[in-house]
Amino acid sequence: AQKITQTQPGMFVQEKEAVTLDCTYDTSDPSYGLFWYKQPSSGEMIFLIYQGSYDQQNATEGRYSLNFQKARKSANLVISASQLGDSAMYFCAMSLSSGNTGKLIFGQGTTLQVKP
Amino acid sequence: EAGVTQFPSHSVIEKGQTVTLRCDPISGHDNLYWYRRVMGKEIKFLLHFVKESKQDESGMPNNRFLAERTGGTYSTLKVQPAELEDSGVYFCASSQSRGTGELFFGEGSRLTVL
């Protein structure tokens, strides 16, 4: 069965430092997509980054990069040069292979707090 | 460009009452999704519309939940009668195509059933 696991309920990081948020996934399907979303206190889910299972290179979007290790089934999010505004809840998610790429399975989330 | 908007932002009702949540997707987005996060649990898929048609409603918990998308624009999710376990945050999301699956989410509607 498909599953997303985020083992870190909460994380702290010092401002300007880098932080890695862990995500492991489980699927037997060779075709899937991996996503990270940010949920600030306002509640809105903000798309951060996407990685396709066949992508050869790790995805990067500004200060966000996805450390995709297919053999380990991990898709960790790396945030470089943390900012106070990065404090939020972060969700890792996976799209199923049925072709409906908007149907996502989410992890339980990691709360990140950036300290000044 | 307006994002996905949801109304109400918070609703408090008593067990047995009815609540209707509304979602206005981004204009031009054919795909509309409903998700729900119950306290302490993962965000779970409820259903997917393509325009006005229900494409996948495999995540709907039971027949107390009814979703509609008249005319392929806004969508409503009605819970009738509400139960305590329905409490949570209901998210709506929309997307333009089946490309990367990037979903644009609303801020969610928090439902509290007493």
Side-chain angles (χ1 to χ4, degrees), chain B residues 87-106:
Chain B
S87 296
V89 181
Y90 291 77
F91 290 99
C92 176
S94 71
S95 70
Q96 190 169 25
S97 69
R98 288 188 171 187
T100 61
E102 178 180 345
L103 301 184
F104 295 86
F105 280 83

mmCIF file of all heavy atoms in Angstrom, chain B residues 87-106:
data_model
loop_
_atom_site.group_PDB
_atom_site.id
_atom_site.type_symbol
_atom_site.label_atom_id
_atom_site.label_comp_id
_atom_site.label_asym_id
_atom_site.label_seq_id
_atom_site.Cartn_x
_atom_site.Cartn_y
_atom_site.Cartn_z
ATOM 1 N N SER B 87 -15.390 16.460 12.641
ATOM 2 C CA SER B 87 -14.600 17.652 12.964
ATOM 3 C C SER B 87 -13.230 17.565 12.319
ATOM 4 O O SER B 87 -12.589 16.513 12.328
ATOM 5 C CB SER B 87 -14.445 17.804 14.476
ATOM 6 O OG SER B 87 -15.687 18.022 15.107
ATOM 7 N N GLY B 88 -12.792 18.682 11.782
ATOM 8 C CA GLY B 88 -11.486 18.718 11.137
ATOM 9 C C GLY B 88 -11.404 19.916 10.221
ATOM 10 O O GLY B 88 -12.265 20.796 10.244
ATOM 11 N N VAL B 89 -10.374 19.937 9.418
ATOM 12 C CA VAL B 89 -10.203 21.008 8.439
ATOM 13 C C VAL B 89 -10.411 20.415 7.051
ATOM 14 O O VAL B 89 -9.784 19.420 6.683
ATOM 15 C CB VAL B 89 -8.805 21.648 8.524
ATOM 16 C CG1 VAL B 89 -8.690 22.776 7.498
ATOM 17 C CG2 VAL B 89 -8.548 22.171 9.933
ATOM 18 N N TYR B 90 -11.292 21.039 6.309
ATOM 19 C CA TYR B 90 -11.623 20.593 4.961
ATOM 20 C C TYR B 90 -10.946 21.522 3.959
ATOM 21 O O TYR B 90 -11.198 22.722 3.940
ATOM 22 C CB TYR B 90 -13.135 20.580 4.757
ATOM 23 C CG TYR B 90 -13.804 19.500 5.571
ATOM 24 C CD1 TYR B 90 -14.006 19.662 6.945
ATOM 25 C CD2 TYR B 90 -14.208 18.306 4.992
ATOM 26 C CE1 TYR B 90 -14.582 18.657 7.710
ATOM 27 C CE2 TYR B 90 -14.792 17.295 5.740
ATOM 28 C CZ TYR B 90 -14.970 17.481 7.100
ATOM 29 O OH TYR B 90 -15.535 16.475 7.851
ATOM 30 N N PHE B 91 -10.075 20.935 3.166
ATOM 31 C CA PHE B 91 -9.326 21.706 2.176
ATOM 32 C C PHE B 91 -9.903 21.473 0.787
ATOM 33 O O PHE B 91 -10.275 20.353 0.433
ATOM 34 C CB PHE B 91 -7.857 21.291 2.150
ATOM 35 C CG PHE B 91 -7.073 21.687 3.357
ATOM 36 C CD1 PHE B 91 -6.820 20.777 4.369
ATOM 37 C CD2 PHE B 91 -6.578 22.976 3.483
ATOM 38 C CE1 PHE B 91 -6.090 21.133 5.489
ATOM 39 C CE2 PHE B 91 -5.842 23.344 4.596
ATOM 40 C CZ PHE B 91 -5.599 22.427 5.601
ATOM 41 N N CYS B 92 -9.921 22.527 0.032
ATOM 42 C CA CYS B 92 -10.262 22.430 -1.378
ATOM 43 C C CYS B 92 -9.013 22.794 -2.172
ATOM 44 O O CYS B 92 -8.207 23.629 -1.742
ATOM 45 C CB CYS B 92 -11.401 23.388 -1.692
ATOM 46 S SG CYS B 92 -11.857 23.450 -3.437
ATOM 47 N N ALA B 93 -8.834 22.153 -3.305
ATOM 48 C CA ALA B 93 -7.694 22.444 -4.160
ATOM 49 C C ALA B 93 -8.133 22.370 -5.613
ATOM 50 O O ALA B 93 -9.077 21.654 -5.947
ATOM 51 C CB ALA B 93 -6.550 21.464 -3.910
ATOM 52 N N SER B 94 -7.449 23.104 -6.454
ATOM 53 C CA SER B 94 -7.766 23.028 -7.874
ATOM 54 C C SER B 94 -6.491 22.971 -8.688
ATOM 55 O O SER B 94 -5.418 23.364 -8.225
ATOM 56 C CB SER B 94 -8.636 24.216 -8.313
ATOM 57 O OG SER B 94 -7.901 25.435 -8.317
ATOM 58 N N SER B 95 -6.634 22.454 -9.885
ATOM 59 C CA SER B 95 -5.502 22.400 -10.797
ATOM 60 C C SER B 95 -6.009 22.543 -12.213
ATOM 61 O O SER B 95 -7.161 22.213 -12.520
ATOM 62 C CB SER B 95 -4.705 21.100 -10.644
ATOM 63 O OG SER B 95 -5.441 19.996 -11.118
ATOM 64 N N GLN B 96 -5.089 23.006 -13.064
ATOM 65 C CA GLN B 96 -5.491 23.315 -14.428
ATOM 66 C C GLN B 96 -5.494 22.087 -15.310
ATOM 67 O O GLN B 96 -6.285 21.941 -16.190
ATOM 68 C CB GLN B 96 -4.546 24.369 -15.008
ATOM 69 C CG GLN B 96 -4.986 24.946 -16.326
ATOM 70 C CD GLN B 96 -4.148 26.148 -16.702
ATOM 71 O OE1 GLN B 96 -3.026 26.283 -16.265
ATOM 72 N NE2 GLN B 96 -4.697 27.019 -17.508
ATOM 73 N N SER B 97 -4.560 21.197 -15.052
ATOM 74 C CA SER B 97 -4.433 20.037 -15.919
ATOM 75 C C SER B 97 -3.863 18.905 -15.112
ATOM 76 O O SER B 97 -3.578 19.044 -13.933
ATOM 77 C CB SER B 97 -3.531 20.346 -17.110
ATOM 78 O OG SER B 97 -2.187 20.514 -16.672
ATOM 79 N N ARG B 98 -3.658 17.781 -15.795
ATOM 80 C CA ARG B 98 -3.095 16.639 -15.092
ATOM 81 C C ARG B 98 -1.580 16.594 -15.251
ATOM 82 O O ARG B 98 -0.985 15.546 -15.194
ATOM 83 C CB ARG B 98 -3.691 15.344 -15.657
ATOM 84 C CG ARG B 98 -5.124 15.138 -15.283
ATOM 85 C CD ARG B 98 -5.566 13.771 -15.696
ATOM 86 N NE ARG B 98 -6.870 13.441 -15.171
ATOM 87 C CZ ARG B 98 -7.424 12.263 -15.273
ATOM 88 N NH1 ARG B 98 -6.773 11.294 -15.893
ATOM 89 N NH2 ARG B 98 -8.613 12.023 -14.771
ATOM 90 N N GLY B 99 -0.947 17.721 -15.433
ATOM 91 C CA GLY B 99 0.493 17.779 -15.619
ATOM 92 C C GLY B 99 1.260 17.218 -14.449
ATOM 93 O O GLY B 99 1.263 16.027 -14.178
ATOM 94 N N THR B 100 1.907 18.091 -13.709
ATOM 95 C CA THR B 100 2.687 17.624 -12.572
ATOM 96 C C THR B 100 1.812 17.379 -11.354
ATOM 97 O O THR B 100 2.302 16.933 -10.331
ATOM 98 C CB THR B 100 3.762 18.651 -12.191
ATOM 99 O OG1 THR B 100 3.103 19.873 -11.832
ATOM 100 C CG2 THR B 100 4.708 18.893 -13.349
ATOM 101 N N GLY B 101 0.550 17.699 -11.470
ATOM 102 C CA GLY B 101 -0.319 17.510 -10.325
ATOM 103 C C GLY B 101 -0.211 18.616 -9.311
ATOM 104 O O GLY B 101 -0.657 18.452 -8.186
ATOM 105 N N GLU B 102 0.407 19.738 -9.693
ATOM 106 C CA GLU B 102 0.511 20.842 -8.746
ATOM 107 C C GLU B 102 -0.870 21.334 -8.407
ATOM 108 O O GLU B 102 -1.625 21.757 -9.280
ATOM 109 C CB GLU B 102 1.340 21.982 -9.322
ATOM 110 C CG GLU B 102 1.442 23.177 -8.373
ATOM 111 C CD GLU B 102 2.257 24.304 -8.952
ATOM 112 O OE1 GLU B 102 2.964 24.079 -9.939
ATOM 113 O OE2 GLU B 102 2.167 25.419 -8.407
ATOM 114 N N LEU B 103 -1.195 21.236 -7.163
ATOM 115 C CA LEU B 103 -2.487 21.679 -6.682
ATOM 116 C C LEU B 103 -2.352 23.025 -5.994
ATOM 117 O O LEU B 103 -1.382 23.275 -5.285
ATOM 118 C CB LEU B 103 -3.064 20.680 -5.676
ATOM 119 C CG LEU B 103 -3.276 19.255 -6.136
ATOM 120 C CD1 LEU B 103 -3.945 18.457 -5.041
ATOM 121 C CD2 LEU B 103 -4.092 19.204 -7.408
ATOM 122 N N PHE B 104 -3.346 23.858 -6.205
ATOM 123 C CA PHE B 104 -3.432 25.137 -5.508
ATOM 124 C C PHE B 104 -4.513 24.976 -4.440
ATOM 125 O O PHE B 104 -5.676 24.760 -4.765
ATOM 126 C CB PHE B 104 -3.778 26.255 -6.490
ATOM 127 C CG PHE B 104 -2.696 26.496 -7.503
ATOM 128 C CD1 PHE B 104 -2.641 25.751 -8.670
ATOM 129 C CD2 PHE B 104 -1.733 27.462 -7.291
ATOM 130 C CE1 PHE B 104 -1.640 25.955 -9.612
ATOM 131 C CE2 PHE B 104 -0.728 27.684 -8.227
ATOM 132 C CZ PHE B 104 -0.682 26.927 -9.380
ATOM 133 N N PHE B 105 -4.113 25.098 -3.208
ATOM 134 C CA PHE B 105 -5.023 24.855 -2.103
ATOM 135 C C PHE B 105 -5.621 26.150 -1.572
ATOM 136 O O PHE B 105 -4.993 27.225 -1.619
ATOM 137 C CB PHE B 105 -4.282 24.182 -0.943
ATOM 138 C CG PHE B 105 -4.088 22.705 -1.117
ATOM 139 C CD1 PHE B 105 -3.028 22.221 -1.860
ATOM 140 C CD2 PHE B 105 -4.953 21.807 -0.516
ATOM 141 C CE1 PHE B 105 -2.834 20.851 -2.013
ATOM 142 C CE2 PHE B 105 -4.762 20.444 -0.665
ATOM 143 C CZ PHE B 105 -3.704 19.971 -1.412
ATOM 144 N N GLY B 106 -6.808 26.022 -1.032
ATOM 145 C CA GLY B 106 -7.402 27.098 -0.265
ATOM 146 C C GLY B 106 -6.912 27.044 1.167
ATOM 147 O O GLY B 106 -6.109 26.193 1.537
#
